[in-house]
Amino acid sequence: MDNPAARFFSVLIFRLGTKRFAFETQDIIEVVSHRPVHTIPFVSDPLIQGLISVQGQLRICISLSKLFSDSFEDNVSASTATKCLVIQKSEFSFAFFVDEVESVIASAYVIPYIINPEQTIPDYFIGDIQDDFGKVGLLDPLLIGSKIQRCFL
Amino acid sequence: MNSPNASQPPDEALYELYCGDLKSQLKIINDILIASEKNSFSASDISALLRAIHSIKGASKVINLDDMVHLTHSMEDALSTVQTLAEKPSEEKMGLLFKACDFLQEVSLLSRQDLLPYMTRKKDEIVNLCHALQASPNIAKQEPQPTLSIPQDTLETKNDFLFEDHEKKPQAIKLNPENLNQLMSFAAELLVELPRLDSLKSYFLKEKASLIKLEKHLDKLRENLLKEEVSRGLQTAICDFGREFLNFSREFENGTSYYDNFSYVLAHLSEQLYLTISANRLRPFSDAVESFPRMIRDLSHQLGKSVNLDIQGLDVLVDREVLERLISPLTQLLKNAIDHGIETPQERSSVQKKTTGLIVLSAFHRNGRLWVTLSDDGRGADLKKIKKTALEKRLVTEKEAANLSDNQWLPFLFLPRFFSESHVSEISGRGVGLSSVNNSISELGGSVVASIDPKSGTGMLFTLSLPLSLSVIRVLLVKIAKELYALPLAGIHKVCSLSLNECHSMNNALFFENCSLIDGDEIFSKIVKTPQTQEKNLLSVVFFDQNNDVVGLIVEEIIEVRDIAVLDLSHYCGKIPNIAAGTVIEDMTPVLVIDQESLSSLMQGKHHDGVNKKWILVVDDSHQVRSVLKEQFEKRGACVKTAIHGRDAWNALCEHVFDLIVTDIAMPQLDGIELLTLIKKNQRYKDIPAIVISAYDEKKTESLEKGAVAFFSKNALTQSTFDEVVSHFLDKGQMDG
């Protein structure tokens, strides 16, 4: 390894519009087909799309692209989304639609994200994965989960 | 069987049996002592008492609890005196017997590990109690009665808790309540999923109709071909096709009829499974109220009052969870009744009432709900005081007050701290009792109504209405803003179609007769319509009843009545306004269950938002600490957002304006010290006071240097210190540190 902080993770890479992202496979509990979403009254944050049913349980469905609204214009619409990823880590659980599930890499080389305390733009990444097609951001379920929790207050 | 050593805790299985037996025998002892205290002991009472005490003595011997053996022996001696002298025990002796019961009760609740330390700690107290029991006089002499003869076998030492009873009774097994809940939820889901079989059946019927149509087409084709001259080969092919088609058709029919039978059996079995598991969750009402007679006895002694408690409907079956969550509100209502309602014997005689007050607690099923009523023949609520307080607190205007009936004043009692200045009693709390009763019952999906007891004409009557089960409820499915919502059927008053002409509008609000109507679209999707902009002339309205108010909800479409398995949303979403729970129907569409009570409050304009509240950011990497702090701050009326570490807190600060930051020190990604440094360097956030709560006491100086206004050690943080901090920042509204 060139970077001493780099580590190997098992990851699932997916596509949202033209952008590619990843989650650790241990945090993904299910990949399911597209299904109806029920909006949640009084929750106005566009991040929260609503509730969906996964294995008979209701889970919060988010619009992942809204997390990056400043820098990322692509939006997964109900018509283009093919799959829904269900994430669970610690007390947080959520689901979101993606355009495509690309691949699973059993041992991906991840360069951790360097925290810049002066940075004021919220971001939700653990680090970057470099593959043959370019850089992929590895997302942090805890940071996203915590952000979702705040939307309900 | 090996005899356990007195210095060793008893065998685990044996001790479990012992505690179980102790509890059931104690119930018998307590019930008889309470019932006999007012009257005299009957021969059968003494016999039953001695049997129960003797059974405990025998069991205590088996597990080498010598002190318990001595205690029960002394209890036997005390009662034997009663038996031989045919005397009613003195008040002192009864007190000692109850005290001995308290010891036994405490032991029955101890864990195996805590047993021996407890016995060592209490040894002297038990010895003194034994002496007192044996020496206490029998003052209350009565008319001589024939000596009671107790069959000798009653007093023979038997370890029946270990042997005989268990051979006679069906063996009980211990079941983890979580597993039972899970089983119940699977059975409920299975029941709710059953309608899917119907949709499959409809599909088969549709296919069958298509096959019949095809068969007709085939016959027609055959007839036409016979008229034409076609090759033998084609004729054979068509005949073969016809034969194959008929075979397929027959097989399909057999398959559908097999499916019909199978779906019928499956539906039946699923229902039986649900009912059997539900029955296991059901417990008699008596389980919730078994401690009440003793509580009433102790409180009436303490307050110098004389009270009889009459409990009706002991056999009424109630869902285990509902029952468990009912104990606390009922305890509070009983305490209120005895402390505030029932008068002293002197006061009662002066108003020509019987010197002994009566509290009646009753449970029954009606309209698919559990109803619990609690009435007393005491002095009732002080209506003058309620009126005065409500006017002082400007909860009603003088004009409104003039039109309120006596019963209409009583709901004010359920407001938190309504009587905040009144005297604080050790028994009935600090003026939050009825408010917490109301909250507990609401959380169960029920309601509580207070009224003047019509029987006594003066006392109070509390009527509690609760769901029979929390897992499956019957709902009316409706469509609002193109999405599905469910309204619990139990609260629905009526459903009807109304023409706009039948309604009248006032200040842009719609009314039907004297009920206000609200548009579901407006509530759940913020589509604001005025009566003038209602698109349809015919409105579908669901009227529901909440705390004697009937309100109407305009919906887009009424779908059907069905049973749903209730899914809790609070774990992921917290409390969603006006939504009680969620569910999923067979095509995987989520449905939200409307909380009728909060909707009703909203319609009455009682809804409060967080506009004037203080906003606090709690930063800690421990979920437990975040939850505790959040709960504590919210209890004090603040709005709380949480962050899992410094970096997450920085994100949260970008999104919202906070009045206070409470942070931990040791956290991943960005620690508390780094967070404080960032905050104090930033022009936007530097004035927000920050408190540090950390286990790292050595970081105190550094935290204060970096700008924290206070540092609290997690190791030494007490509830009172925390309360002080919260009061300082919230109650006094001082946010300047």
Side-chain angles (χ1 to χ4, degrees):
Chain A
M1 275 191 243
D2 303 333
N3 187 331
R7 285 174 57 200
F8 286 102
F9 287 90
S10 168
V11 299
L12 181 145
I13 297 176
F14 58 93
R15 184 174 59 77
L16 279 177
T18 55
K19 298 277 195 301
R20 296 159 74 230
F21 301 94
F23 268 110
E24 268 193 83
T25 49
Q26 64 173 14
D27 302 331
I28 299 171
I29 56 165
E30 189 125 26
V31 179
V32 293
S33 56
H34 188 267
R35 53 200 57 211
V37 181
H38 196 302
T39 56
I40 306 174
F42 299 96
V43 179
S44 54
D45 196 305
L47 172 69
I48 309 294
Q49 283 199 321
L51 292 164
I52 61 162
S53 152
V54 180
Q55 286 186 348
Q57 294 296 312
L58 288 173
R59 289 180 196 264
I60 294 166
C61 181
I62 63 164
S63 163
L64 207 52
S65 53
K66 298 286 183 211
L67 266 183
F68 320 105
S69 51
D70 289 342
S71 55
F72 178 48
E73 291 303 319
D74 288 331
N75 201 348
V76 185
S77 68
S79 56
T80 61
T82 55
K83 296 285 177 208
C84 176
L85 262 60
V86 188
I87 308 289
Q88 171 122 40
K89 184 156 192 172
S90 185
E91 77 264 31
F92 306 114
S93 177
F94 56 92
F96 56 91
F97 293 116
V98 300
D99 286 316
E100 189 188 0
V101 174
E102 275 195 2
S103 58
V104 174
I105 304 175
S107 192
Y109 182 68
V110 178
I111 302 158
Y113 186 80
I114 311 285
I115 299 164
N116 175 7
E118 300 305 323
Q119 187 172 351
T120 53
I121 300 166
D123 54 58
Y124 304 92
F125 296 96
I126 294 170
D128 285 332
I129 300 161
Q130 183 70 50
D131 72 358
D132 297 342
F133 305 100
K135 260 188 191 175
V136 180
L138 178 62
L139 289 157
D140 184 346
L142 292 180
L143 275 175
I144 298 172
S146 184
K147 159 80 185 168
I148 293 169
Q149 219 170 47
R150 288 198 289 271
C151 294
F152 284 95
L153 286 163
Chain B
M1 194 189 300
N2 293 330
S3 180
N5 188 321
S7 60
Q8 295 279 318
D11 174 79
E12 196 170 345
L14 209 59
Y15 185 62
E16 252 180 50
L17 274 177
Y18 174 75
C19 289
D21 191 59
L22 191 52
K23 280 175 197 161
S24 54
Q25 301 297 354
L26 257 175
K27 188 178 173 336
I28 298 171
I29 299 171
N30 264 320
D31 286 352
I32 298 176
L33 284 180
I34 290 164
S36 308
E37 194 178 24
K38 290 194 175 103
N39 311 307
S40 54
F41 283 108
S42 69
S44 59
D45 285 342
I46 295 280
S47 172
L49 265 179
L50 286 174
R51 254 198 318 272
I53 295 169
H54 207 70
S55 172
I56 300 174
K57 189 165 97 174
S60 304
K61 252 185 204 168
V62 172
I63 59 167
N64 275 355
L65 284 180
D66 291 343
D67 291 330
M68 292 290 277
V69 175
H70 292 151
L71 181 63
T72 43
H73 188 78
S74 305
M75 288 171 83
E76 277 179 346
D77 279 354
L79 285 163
S80 305
T81 325
V82 176
Q83 176 208 344
T84 49
L85 297 177
E87 287 170 342
K88 186 182 176 185
S90 63
E91 204 169 303
E92 186 192 340
K93 185 165 273 184
M94 286 301 281
L96 291 170
L97 284 167
F98 275 118
K99 202 173 171 191
C101 285
D102 288 342
F103 267 117
L104 299 174
Q105 181 76 37
E106 280 176 27
V107 170
S108 75
L109 300 172
L110 290 174
S111 70
R112 193 171 67 102
Q113 287 74 19
D114 294 338
L115 177 68
L116 294 182
Y118 174 86
M119 297 310 292
T120 316
R121 212 168 52 242
K122 296 278 180 177
K123 193 173 178 65
D124 291 345
E125 245 177 283
I126 293 174
V127 171
N128 291 339
L129 183 58
C130 289
H131 288 313
L133 272 167
Q134 282 164 344
S136 64
N138 292 293
I139 315 165
K141 288 209 172 189
Q142 290 184 320
E143 290 298 306
Q145 284 176 8
T147 309
L148 306 172
S149 82
I150 309 294
Q152 194 52 41
D153 65 330
T154 311
L155 298 176
E156 277 173 18
T157 304
K158 287 187 290 186
N159 302 326
D160 49 2
F161 88 105
L162 283 178
F163 309 111
E164 286 193 11
D165 278 358
H166 298 281
E167 279 164 23
K168 287 174 199 163
K169 290 175 192 167
Q171 282 285 333
I173 56 157
K174 282 189 85 177
L175 197 62
N176 181 342
E178 278 301 307
N179 290 346
L180 187 62
N181 283 346
Q182 187 103 41
L183 209 57
M184 182 72 190
S185 114
F186 285 143
E189 270 178 47
L190 186 62
L191 197 67
V192 171
E193 290 281 316
L194 277 179
R196 273 204 215 206
L197 293 177
D198 287 338
S199 47
L200 204 57
K201 196 173 165 182
S202 313
Y203 170 77
F204 285 147
L205 282 174
K206 217 168 116 193
E207 294 301 302
K208 202 171 157 183
S210 304
L211 280 177
I212 293 168
K213 236 185 230 174
L214 273 176
E215 215 173 309
K216 279 180 186 162
H217 285 309
L218 191 66
D219 286 344
K220 219 172 189 178
L221 182 70
R222 230 188 253 145
E223 274 171 33
N224 289 338
L225 281 176
L226 286 174
K227 289 174 196 164
E228 305 281 328
E229 281 206 0
V230 288
S231 69
R232 183 166 287 275
L234 185 57
Q235 274 188 11
T236 320
I238 287 170
C239 281
D240 288 348
F241 176 74
R243 206 169 31 248
E244 286 298 317
F245 182 79
L246 274 177
N247 283 342
F248 171 75
S249 201
R250 228 168 277 136
E251 269 177 37
F252 184 81
E253 193 151 348
N254 286 342
T256 49
S257 118
Y258 177 79
Y259 173 80
D260 274 355
N261 288 337
F262 167 74
S263 60
Y264 173 77
V265 172
L266 192 65
H268 177 71
L269 286 176
S270 307
E271 202 173 327
Q272 287 302 313
L273 178 69
Y274 176 72
L275 291 175
T276 314
I277 297 173
S278 310
N280 279 318
R281 276 179 62 98
L282 297 178
R283 281 165 45 189
F285 184 61
S286 58
D287 280 12
V289 300
E290 61 186 12
S291 62
F292 289 167
R294 175 69 196 275
M295 183 184 85
I296 293 293
R297 181 242 172 224
D298 291 351
L299 288 178
S300 54
H301 277 221
Q302 194 181 330
L303 296 166
K305 295 179 179 181
S306 173
V307 188
N308 274 342
L309 175 65
D310 178 12
I311 306 179
Q312 299 165 359
L314 289 170
D315 297 335
V316 169
L317 293 174
V318 187
D319 184 277
R320 191 174 60 84
E321 200 178 337
V322 175
L323 200 67
E324 276 165 13
R325 288 164 65 181
L326 195 56
I327 296 173
S328 163
L330 283 182
T331 307
Q332 186 63 51
L333 288 177
L334 277 169
K335 283 181 175 179
N336 280 354
I338 199 162
D339 193 15
H340 301 307
I342 303 289
E343 311 90 333
T344 59
Q346 296 76 17
E347 284 171 323
R348 291 181 69 86
S349 334
S350 67
V351 290
Q352 275 81 50
K353 281 185 181 178
K354 284 182 187 169
T355 49
T356 301
L358 178 66
I359 299 175
V360 182
L361 178 60
S362 167
F364 53 95
H365 289 168
R366 197 177 68 203
N367 297 341
R369 306 268 295 171
L370 168 73
W371 294 79
V372 179
T373 60
L374 191 141
S375 63
D376 67 72
D377 65 351
R379 61 170 76 89
D382 187 345
L383 289 172
K384 275 186 192 164
K385 198 175 164 192
I386 297 174
K387 287 176 190 175
K388 188 171 169 266
T389 312
L391 285 166
E392 274 171 9
K393 295 193 170 186
R394 295 182 184 182
L395 298 168
V396 280
T397 61
E398 294 276 0
K399 200 179 161 191
E400 286 165 336
N403 294 325
L404 290 182
S405 67
D406 285 353
N407 273 337
Q408 283 174 316
W409 284 104
L410 298 176
F412 285 107
L413 291 171
F414 293 111
L415 295 176
R417 298 183 183 277
F418 181 67
F419 284 140
S420 50
E421 294 85 24
S422 65
H423 84 287
V424 170
S425 143
E426 192 188 317
I427 295 160
S428 48
R430 298 174 170 271
V432 293
L434 283 181
S435 140
S436 80
V437 167
N438 195 27
N439 289 342
S440 310
I441 300 297
S442 297
E443 278 168 17
L444 275 168
S447 62
V448 53
V449 176
S451 54
I452 295 165
D453 181 30
K455 277 187 191 160
S456 61
T458 53
M460 290 290 286
L461 169 68
F462 289 92
T463 308
L464 282 65
S465 163
L466 296 142
L468 284 181
S469 162
L470 298 181
S471 51
V472 171
I473 56 167
R474 182 151 281 200
V475 296
L476 176 70
L477 215 58
V478 296
K479 199 176 263 183
I480 296 171
K482 300 191 168 42
E483 291 187 299
L484 291 177
Y485 287 85
L487 284 148
L489 213 57
I492 293 179
H493 184 65
K494 64 179 175 184
V495 179
C496 58
S497 289
L498 294 176
S499 153
L500 256 184
N501 304 331
E502 292 176 83
C503 310
H504 59 277
S505 63
M506 202 192 299
N507 300 331
N508 269 346
L510 210 54
F511 291 86
F512 172 69
E513 294 172 350
N514 52 359
C515 303
S516 62
L517 304 179
I518 195 151
D519 198 318
D521 281 358
E522 199 178 310
I523 293 288
F524 295 108
S525 69
K526 305 266 177 202
I527 303 167
V528 181
K529 293 178 199 162
T530 61
Q532 292 73 32
T533 59
Q534 279 290 346
E535 292 147 16
K536 289 192 284 183
N537 186 43
L538 208 59
L539 307 172
S540 302
V541 185
V542 182
F543 288 92
F544 52 88
D545 211 343
Q546 197 69 50
N547 296 336
N548 293 335
D549 287 318
V550 177
V551 283
L553 177 70
I554 303 170
V555 301
E556 200 175 293
E557 191 186 339
I558 289 162
I559 316 277
E560 61 178 354
V561 172
R562 60 156 66 209
D563 289 329
I564 57 155
V566 177
L567 301 174
D568 181 26
L569 297 175
S570 59
H571 180 64
Y572 296 131
C573 309
K575 171 77 184 115
I576 304 171
N578 304 322
I579 299 297
T583 190
V584 182
I585 57 170
E586 56 271 11
D587 63 353
M588 289 196 292
T589 305
V591 178
L592 295 181
V593 182
I594 294 173
D595 181 349
Q596 289 158 326
E597 196 194 10
S598 67
L599 193 60
S600 162
S601 304
L602 176 78
M603 289 159 87
Q604 290 163 24
K606 289 178 187 168
H607 186 74
H608 300 289
D609 56 24
V611 173
N612 296 318
K613 291 186 173 181
K614 303 287 181 193
W615 282 86
I616 298 174
L617 176 62
V618 171
V619 195
D620 202 300
D621 56 341
S622 155
H623 174 46
Q624 203 182 350
V625 173
R626 283 199 305 272
S627 305
V628 170
L629 289 175
K630 186 171 184 286
E631 196 188 324
Q632 293 285 341
F633 282 124
E634 282 178 347
K635 268 188 194 164
R636 296 301 194 102
C639 290
V640 180
K641 291 202 176 207
T642 57
I644 55 173
H645 45 57
R647 189 178 157 203
D648 193 29
W650 193 248
N651 289 348
L653 282 164
C654 299
E655 296 164 7
H656 202 277
V657 180
F658 290 96
D659 300 298
L660 175 69
I661 299 165
V662 179
T663 182
D664 186 17
I665 290 293
M667 294 180 291
Q669 303 226 16
L670 191 75
D671 70 23
I673 296 291
E674 289 170 307
L675 178 66
L676 284 172
T677 312
L678 279 176
I679 290 169
K680 293 302 158 191
K681 273 185 189 168
N682 188 292
Q683 282 302 314
R684 262 179 79 192
Y685 314 132
K686 68 179 173 58
D687 295 328
I688 306 173
I691 293 173
V692 174
I693 301 180
S694 168
Y696 292 88
D697 297 354
E698 63 273 22
K699 293 281 182 185
K700 182 176 178 177
T701 315
E702 194 181 357
S703 301
L704 296 173
E705 278 171 9
K706 295 289 179 191
V709 292
F711 180 98
F712 293 97
S713 168
K714 274 185 186 170
N715 307 322
L717 186 64
T718 59
Q719 182 68 43
S720 58
T721 326
F722 185 80
D723 281 348
E724 262 177 50
V725 181
V726 175
S727 299
H728 182 73
F729 286 101
L730 295 178
D731 297 350
K732 293 177 188 170
Q734 292 175 3
M735 285 295 168
D736 54 0

